Amino acid sequence: MKITRKVKLILKNYESDNPGTKGNICRILMNGKLGGTGKLLILPVDQGYEHGPARSFAPNPEAYDPHYHYKLAIDAGLSAYAAPLGMIEAGADSFAGQIPTILKLNSSNSWSTSKDQAIHGSVDDALRLGCSAIGFTIYPGSDYQLEMMEELRELAFEAKEVGLAVVVWSYPRGGNLTKKGETAVDVCAYAAHMAALLGAHIIKVKPPSEHVEQEESKKIYSKMNMELLSDRVAHVIQSSFNNKRIVVFSGGAAKDVEGLIEEIKQIRDGGGHGSIIGRNTFQRPREEALILLDRIIKIYQNKD
Amino acid sequence: MKITRKVKLILKNYESDNPGTKGNICRILMNGKLGGTGKLLILPVDQGYEHGPARSFAPNPEAYDPHYHYKLAIDAGLSAYAAPLGMIEAGADSFAGQIPTILKLNSSNSWSTSKDQAIHGSVDDALRLGCSAIGFTIYPGSDYQLEMMEELRELAFEAKEVGLAVVVWSYPRGGNLTKKGETAVDVCAYAAHMAALLGAHIIKVKPPSEHVEQEESKKIYSKMNMELLSDRVAHVIQSSFNNKRIVVFSGGAAKDVEGLIEEIKQIRDGGGHGSIIGRNTFQRPREEALILLDRIIKIYQNKD
Amino acid sequence: MKITRKVKLILKNYESDNPGTKGNICRILMNGKLGGTGKLLILPVDQGYEHGPARSFAPNPEAYDPHYHYKLAIDAGLSAYAAPLGMIEAGADSFAGQIPTILKLNSSNSWSTSKDQAIHGSVDDALRLGCSAIGFTIYPGSDYQLEMMEELRELAFEAKEVGLAVVVWSYPRGGNLTKKGETAVDVCAYAAHMAALLGAHIIKVKPPSEHVEQEESKKIYSKMNMELLSDRVAHVIQSSFNNKRIVVFSGGAAKDVEGLIEEIKQIRDGGGHGSIIGRNTFQRPREEALILLDRIIKIYQNKD
Amino acid sequence: MKITRKVKLILKNYESDNPGTKGNICRILMNGKLGGTGKLLILPVDQGYEHGPARSFAPNPEAYDPHYHYKLAIDAGLSAYAAPLGMIEAGADSFAGQIPTILKLNSSNSWSTSKDQAIHGSVDDALRLGCSAIGFTIYPGSDYQLEMMEELRELAFEAKEVGLAVVVWSYPRGGNLTKKGETAVDVCAYAAHMAALLGAHIIKVKPPSEHVEQEESKKIYSKMNMELLSDRVAHVIQSSFNNKRIVVFSGGAAKDVEGLIEEIKQIRDGGGHGSIIGRNTFQRPREEALILLDRIIKIYQNKD
Amino acid sequence: MKITRKVKLILKNYESDNPGTKGNICRILMNGKLGGTGKLLILPVDQGYEHGPARSFAPNPEAYDPHYHYKLAIDAGLSAYAAPLGMIEAGADSFAGQIPTILKLNSSNSWSTSKDQAIHGSVDDALRLGCSAIGFTIYPGSDYQLEMMEELRELAFEAKEVGLAVVVWSYPRGGNLTKKGETAVDVCAYAAHMAALLGAHIIKVKPPSEHVEQEESKKIYSKMNMELLSDRVAHVIQSSFNNKRIVVFSGGAAKDVEGLIEEIKQIRDGGGHGSIIGRNTFQRPREEALILLDRIIKIYQNKD
């Protein structure tokens, strides 16, 4: 695998990491159709844990099978595939070496009575299953945020020691945050910044809205131009060590294709490093999903 | 022991497991009268912990003796015997090698003031007692669900490392769940799916009712045919990685023989991998129990 | 030391234990005047922790001295002496090898604001002090019961690994239990059964009353004859793995000699394996205590 | 250093301890002007942590300097010097070998919102700083008493393993105790007894008042003569394993010299093993403090 | 690097530390323009974590880049640079050996619902990143103060063992403290004293106000002259082991230059060892910040 100049530059930003970790970030950045462009597209399948199997897979019942997602990610030429323990275990051997995997180490579920998640995987699991990275969600703002950050600290340290990359889902939620505030531009930028400070290599946030949540932030944001999503994405990227950390954006709730495509163009225009799209793909028939993913890839290739 | 093609196919689904763990799943699948069929029948005796000795054993006082259950499971030709620490300790040497055992690592009791269980056994106990698997209960929905899942994570990882299989009792309970919701079809399927995601090799759930508990699930279930228990069992199997994980169903509260037999036929017809039946057997006189177990075995052998 | 046939049979019930643990159970069963009979009489001195020194020892001030209790247990020909850390430390060397000791690892005190106990000793303490067993109290029913059971699990595993025996004080208390329910026959039998399931070698319970506490148990107990204490003791013994675990009964609050003697006869008649008597002995002058203990021994020797 | 017969007899009471620990107890008992008498006088300086620096040291500003206390203890010929981590660190090298030190491992402070203390030192700190003992406070009666006792258990075990002595400050406080009850005679004796049971080598309590706190204790105390402080001290000594454990008494809040001298005479007459005096010394000018300490020493030498 | 006599004298105060730790304190004291003077000036950049990226860096957008701060600290000739994990990781290699770094191990954030912080770095992180010290915040007074102190204990012990220095941010907050009380002179002195007792090498507090918070302290402070900030600083220094521990003062909220300069002169006049200034520098354009930092350095050089 010959590395491109773009990827080399990105890897330079991870200057404190050991060659093992850099190698795994490189593996993700060089894989699939976006390999070498410095952009990436990840398939996450933790919907079953979060919303239950029927709500996740009934619209496209082939997706009940863990192999389905491995194949989809491979065939679509994605950068990586992310899922919780059981999903990865169920295909780790069949698809070994065919696509970088991210072991999602914690999850919530629809019955949760607290804004917290259960840790259901470990760095040792990631190693035995041949993963390139661990994934971990924090809920900044939640009453459990400090504990979640401390759990991440421990797992991230362990991962870096054994040469894995660390992907952080930074999803503000709970505590004093309003529902609308969860995707506010100040909140998203803050969430991305904290993930970077916590040592994340790749940060996942939601596309930020125009809303400004924190009273103390209103003055400073009133002077900044945040009208377009691309402006707000650029602000999140800037807040992530001035573009020295990779930031990918979720697709959010399933929406119509054109809405999604438009959003992704803005993410690209704002300098976002890519997308992480679950429901919008695996809930459609495979052929439709492949076409959609190809369109997204073209956007990040600047061909659309 | 020559392994059948059916069992070989099932073992292929546990592709990430080491030979030790696969060997122990195989041992359970090849044991007893159902050995090699891909179906299994397990005797669990944790009733004494959950409901007290008199309510469990007074109807058939021979059952106060731990040896009674070992003998019953062996003589009936069952697949495995599951019980908490003391019960296994009391017969582990006398019956060593005669039947695969599952060490149940946690239990609740009738006085419990929280929807949680005490962990009273360890993977090291399972090893010293020659068990093939550990058993662990989670209560999805409970205020303690996250802790229980995290406990399972640790124990399951440890078990897999030393070549044991992991059996998960996934019993929704507590939190925002209604009593009726505990056996709702959406809830049972979700519970089975989470157990699979948590890395279970064998999943135990209750036979699901027609009730749909979660508001957000009603739309999706309204399009699915869930009238017969066999339909609902098939949905649970599908939700367990599309039949890539073994799912067994409990017998529930003691009921009349024909009701139980009918239920088990539906479980078989829906593709369930077997049953795990306690009170319905050991609370009857031994001879009656042996006859009943033989009838159940015949169902899973497709002879009834 | 030549082992009797009776003790050999009892040791066979501890089939999963290593020779170290069996040796220590044997040491207790072969010690003192009841040595070899399969019965045992233990002196416990944790009163000072539970009720304070003056309430415990002022009636017989010699008992303030830790050596007093060692000597009493040795001179009376008892089976073992049980006490918390400091009491054992204060005589462990002077009386080394003269009587098996049980290190009580946890205690409550009169000021406790929760139904829980402090752990104040360890398995390593038991080893360095030459003890034969550890002792641990659980409060089934208490809001802390799950934690206490989990603490026991850990300590019991450790003890068995290094060849010590495990004595469990199973004292229902707190939570939804009524005061009267603490000694109810259903509750005592359940408490003894859980201790057995938790892996205890020797179980200590209070003599059960005729009261049935749990609503769900009333039907089943209404069919059983529980009029005499000896009937109830027999039920507790049956609930302890059908007499496969040693069960000893406490003497309860200090009472008159004849009441105590009568109670102990019933315990013997019900098949109880012995008594564990504290306040009733060390609060009397030494000579009186020796006479009383001799009478109790004679009961268990079937000489009274 | 030649050991006296008196000290030899005291050391015999610590029969389960290893030579390292006995050596350190011996070092304290043989140090300073009381060396060899079996009595001891300790300087504790944790006032700064408990009440703040100005309230502790402003009356005698030289005392802001950690070296001041080392020098005072050495020049006065005391038995040992006790202080928290930073105070010991600041003089451990300058005064190495010149006086036995006790590392106080936990402290409260005036802002505490719970009756608990922070652990701020470890057994390993005590070793690296050349201390002879660790010091630890428990609050019997407090809602945190069980946790504090469990912390002590762990630290005391560790200390004994590496040959250090264990000094326990047993200060009843919180929970159901009244303010007056904190120094009640029944409560002090109980607190000393529990410290002994927890494995303390040296016990520190407050001088007990005549008040009897616990309802259940009133009858038993009504028969005992507790009029004089010396009687009450004798009762505390008896409650500490019948004089088999060293008990020292605090000086309490700063008071006039004669009041303090009178109190100490009673402590001596009751058989107390010594005093532990902080504020009463370091808040006076050095010369005054040296004179006072000399008077106290003379009392314990039976020269006053 | 030749060490000055002044620095040698300061190092003597850390008499219990190993050569590794002394070497790192020395490195900080000998670095930059204040090197060798015994004074120090530190740049802390944890604002992003505490207040979010826009509020921290939007006034001077170059500061979004982690390299900016390294360069500023180096070019201004500061003593050390302190920041959380991600910020240090992002420049540790580029600027290795160019300035001593302090890894800040915990942080709060604007959404926190409790007066506590998340630990997001470890001593092992500090080592792999080549840091000279760890930084840790405690909130004396907070309901979480005991836990925070215990966390510090563990981290500080570990740091000292591997030759790192320990910098403690002692910021009273929460519990019974009033807002005004957080910077009260009695509270600041107490906070500094506790940090010293907890084993800090370098203590950071806020410049104390004239307010006296604690009722019990009013009498003692009424006799002391606390009118000038320099008096209050001197009192804090005295409370920090009589000038045996290094104490630096924060700049507080961004203020006008002359106000800041005046404050720093008073800190110097009171014997403070230096300043730790964040927002006041990196929120100004680089050239302005360099001029300001130079003015501050001149003050500590006694040139202003």
Side-chain angles (χ1 to χ4, degrees), chain D residues 42-249:
Chain D
I42 298 173
L43 175 69
V45 186
D46 49 358
Q47 278 299 314
Y49 214 112
E50 304 270 340
H51 294 163
R55 284 171 68 201
S56 302
F57 308 128
N60 176 33
E62 287 183 64
Y64 278 110
D65 190 328
H67 281 202
Y68 178 83
H69 304 285
Y70 270 100
K71 279 187 214 145
L72 181 67
I74 293 166
D75 294 348
L78 303 192
S79 310
Y81 168 52
L85 187 68
M87 287 298 256
I88 296 291
E89 283 185 330
D93 196 57
S94 297
F95 303 96
Q98 299 185 39
I99 187 161
T101 51
I102 300 164
L103 186 65
K104 187 76 200 320
L105 297 188
N106 63 347
S107 298
S108 182
N109 62 59
S110 345
W111 299 323
S112 196
T113 57
S114 60
K115 301 278 191 231
D116 192 8
Q117 298 207 337
I119 301 179
H120 45 49
S122 66
V123 169
D124 284 333
D125 284 315
L127 287 176
R128 73 174 169 91
L129 296 168
C131 302
S132 291
I134 59 163
F136 195 87
T137 297
I138 54 171
Y139 291 153
S142 149
D143 291 338
Y144 295 85
Q145 64 168 340
L146 303 187
E147 285 87 342
M148 294 180 99
M149 287 165 180
E150 295 188 348
E151 289 162 355
L152 170 57
R153 185 204 75 69
E154 214 163 307
L155 292 165
F157 179 81
E158 224 187 290
K160 289 173 186 178
E161 235 182 359
V162 297
L164 295 177
V166 176
V167 185
V168 174
W169 275 240
S170 197
Y171 279 12
R173 181 165 307 178
N176 300 320
L177 276 175
T178 64
K179 189 73 197 161
K180 200 176 164 194
E182 292 180 2
T183 50
V185 62
D186 59 329
V187 169
C188 281
Y190 197 163
H193 186 63
M194 280 202 285
L197 287 172
L198 289 164
H201 298 111
I202 300 176
I203 297 161
K204 182 190 171 187
V205 290
K206 293 189 181 160
S209 74
E210 273 185 87
H211 174 59
V212 175
E213 171 81 356
Q214 296 191 279
E215 215 44 59
E216 315 86 313
S217 299
K218 287 196 171 149
K219 199 173 143 201
I220 199 95
Y221 278 93
S222 69
K223 300 178 201 155
M224 294 155 73
N225 192 0
M226 293 291 157
E227 220 167 294
L228 299 178
L229 174 57
S230 60
D231 296 330
R232 301 189 296 267
V233 164
H235 175 57
V236 169
I237 296 298
Q238 187 183 42
S239 296
S240 302
F241 291 175
N242 208 26
N243 195 27
K244 282 188 169 150
R245 291 294 172 264
I246 297 168
V247 184
V248 295
F249 294 81

Side-chain angles (χ1 to χ4, degrees), chain A residues 15 143 150 160 190 197 244, chain E residues 49 65 86 89 91 93-94:
Chain A
E15 53 179 76
D143 292 339
E150 296 188 347
K160 288 173 187 180
Y190 198 164
L197 286 173
K244 283 188 168 148
Chain E
Y49 214 111
D65 189 327
E89 284 185 329
D93 196 56
S94 298

Side-chain angles (χ1 to χ4, degrees), chain E residues 1-254:
Chain E
M1 186 173 68
K2 229 187 115 191
I3 191 175
T4 60
R5 211 179 142 268
K6 257 193 187 147
V7 169
K8 224 176 218 165
L9 280 173
I10 293 175
L11 289 182
K12 269 192 59 176
N13 294 328
Y14 297 96
E15 54 179 75
S16 70
D17 284 296
N18 64 26
T21 295
K22 279 184 194 153
N24 271 313
I25 299 173
C26 180
R27 224 153 272 144
I28 293 170
L29 288 172
M30 292 304 297
N31 196 69
K33 295 186 184 161
L34 287 170
T37 62
K39 302 291 173 178
L40 65 169
L41 185 52
I42 298 172
L43 175 69
V45 187
D46 50 357
Q47 278 297 315
Y49 214 111
E50 305 270 339
H51 294 164
R55 285 171 67 201
S56 302
F57 308 127
N60 176 31
E62 289 183 62
Y64 279 109
D65 189 327
H67 282 202
Y68 177 83
H69 304 285
Y70 270 100
K71 279 186 213 144
L72 182 67
I74 293 166
D75 293 348
L78 303 192
S79 310
Y81 168 53
L85 187 69
M87 287 298 255
I88 296 291
E89 284 185 329
D93 196 56
S94 298
F95 303 96
Q98 299 184 40
I99 188 162
T101 50
I102 299 164
L103 186 65
K104 187 76 200 320
L105 298 187
N106 62 346
S107 296
S108 181
N109 63 58
S110 344
W111 299 324
S112 197
T113 57
S114 61
K115 300 278 190 231
D116 193 9
Q117 298 208 337
I119 300 179
H120 46 49
S122 66
V123 169
D124 284 333
D125 284 315
L127 286 177
R128 73 175 168 92
L129 296 167
C131 301
S132 292
I134 59 163
F136 195 87
T137 297
I138 54 171
Y139 290 153
S142 149
D143 292 338
Y144 295 86
Q145 65 167 339
L146 302 187
E147 285 87 341
M148 293 180 99
M149 287 167 180
E150 295 188 348
E151 290 162 355
L152 170 57
R153 185 204 75 70
E154 214 162 308
L155 292 165
F157 178 81
E158 225 187 290
K160 289 173 186 178
E161 235 182 358
V162 297
L164 296 176
V166 176
V167 185
V168 174
W169 274 240
S170 195
Y171 279 13
R173 182 165 305 178
N176 300 319
L177 275 175
T178 64
K179 188 73 197 160
K180 200 176 164 194
E182 292 180 2
T183 51
V185 63
D186 58 329
V187 169
C188 282
Y190 198 163
H193 186 63
M194 280 202 285
L197 287 172
L198 289 164
H201 299 111
I202 300 176
I203 298 160
K204 182 190 171 187
V205 290
K206 294 190 181 159
S209 73
E210 273 185 86
H211 174 61
V212 175
E213 170 83 356
Q214 296 191 280
E215 215 43 60
E216 314 87 312
S217 299
K218 287 195 171 149
K219 198 174 143 200
I220 199 93
Y221 278 94
S222 69
K223 299 178 203 156
M224 293 154 74
N225 191 0
M226 292 290 157
E227 221 167 294
L228 299 177
L229 174 57
S230 60
D231 295 331
R232 302 190 295 267
V233 165
H235 176 56
V236 169
I237 296 299
Q238 187 183 41
S239 297
S240 302
F241 291 175
N242 208 26
N243 195 27
K244 283 188 168 148
R245 292 292 172 264
I246 296 168
V247 185
V248 295
F249 293 81
S250 61

Side-chain angles (χ1 to χ4, degrees), chain B residues 139-178:
Chain B
Y139 291 152
S142 149
D143 292 339
Y144 295 85
Q145 66 168 340
L146 302 187
E147 284 86 343
M148 293 179 99
M149 287 167 180
E150 296 189 347
E151 290 162 355
L152 170 57
R153 186 204 73 71
E154 214 162 309
L155 292 166
F157 179 82
E158 224 187 292
K160 289 173 186 178
E161 236 183 359
V162 297
L164 296 176
V166 176
V167 185
V168 174
W169 275 240
S170 196
Y171 279 13
R173 180 164 307 177
N176 301 318
L177 276 174
T178 64

Side-chain angles (χ1 to χ4, degrees), chain A residues 144-182:
Chain A
Y144 295 86
Q145 65 167 340
L146 302 187
E147 285 87 341
M148 294 180 98
M149 287 166 181
E150 296 188 347
E151 289 162 355
L152 170 57
R153 186 204 74 71
E154 214 162 310
L155 292 166
F157 179 82
E158 225 187 292
K160 288 173 187 180
E161 236 183 358
V162 298
L164 295 176
V166 176
V167 185
V168 174
W169 275 240
S170 196
Y171 279 13
R173 183 166 304 178
N176 300 320
L177 276 175
T178 65
K179 189 74 197 161
K180 201 176 163 194
E182 292 180 2

Side-chain angles (χ1 to χ4, degrees), chain C residues 4 15-16 35 45 64 96 132 145 159 173 176 186 203 223 234 245-246 264 279 294:
Chain C
T4 61
E15 53 179 76
S16 70
V45 187
Y64 278 110
S132 291
Q145 65 168 338
R173 181 166 306 177
N176 300 320
D186 59 329
I203 298 161
K223 300 177 202 156
R245 291 294 172 262
I246 296 167
I264 287 169
R279 270 173 295 177
D294 202 61

Side-chain angles (χ1 to χ4, degrees), chain C residues 192-193 196 203 235-245 247:
Chain C
H193 187 63
I203 298 161
H235 176 58
V236 169
I237 296 297
Q238 187 183 41
S239 296
S240 303
F241 292 176
N242 209 24
N243 195 27
K244 282 189 168 146
R245 291 294 172 262
V247 184

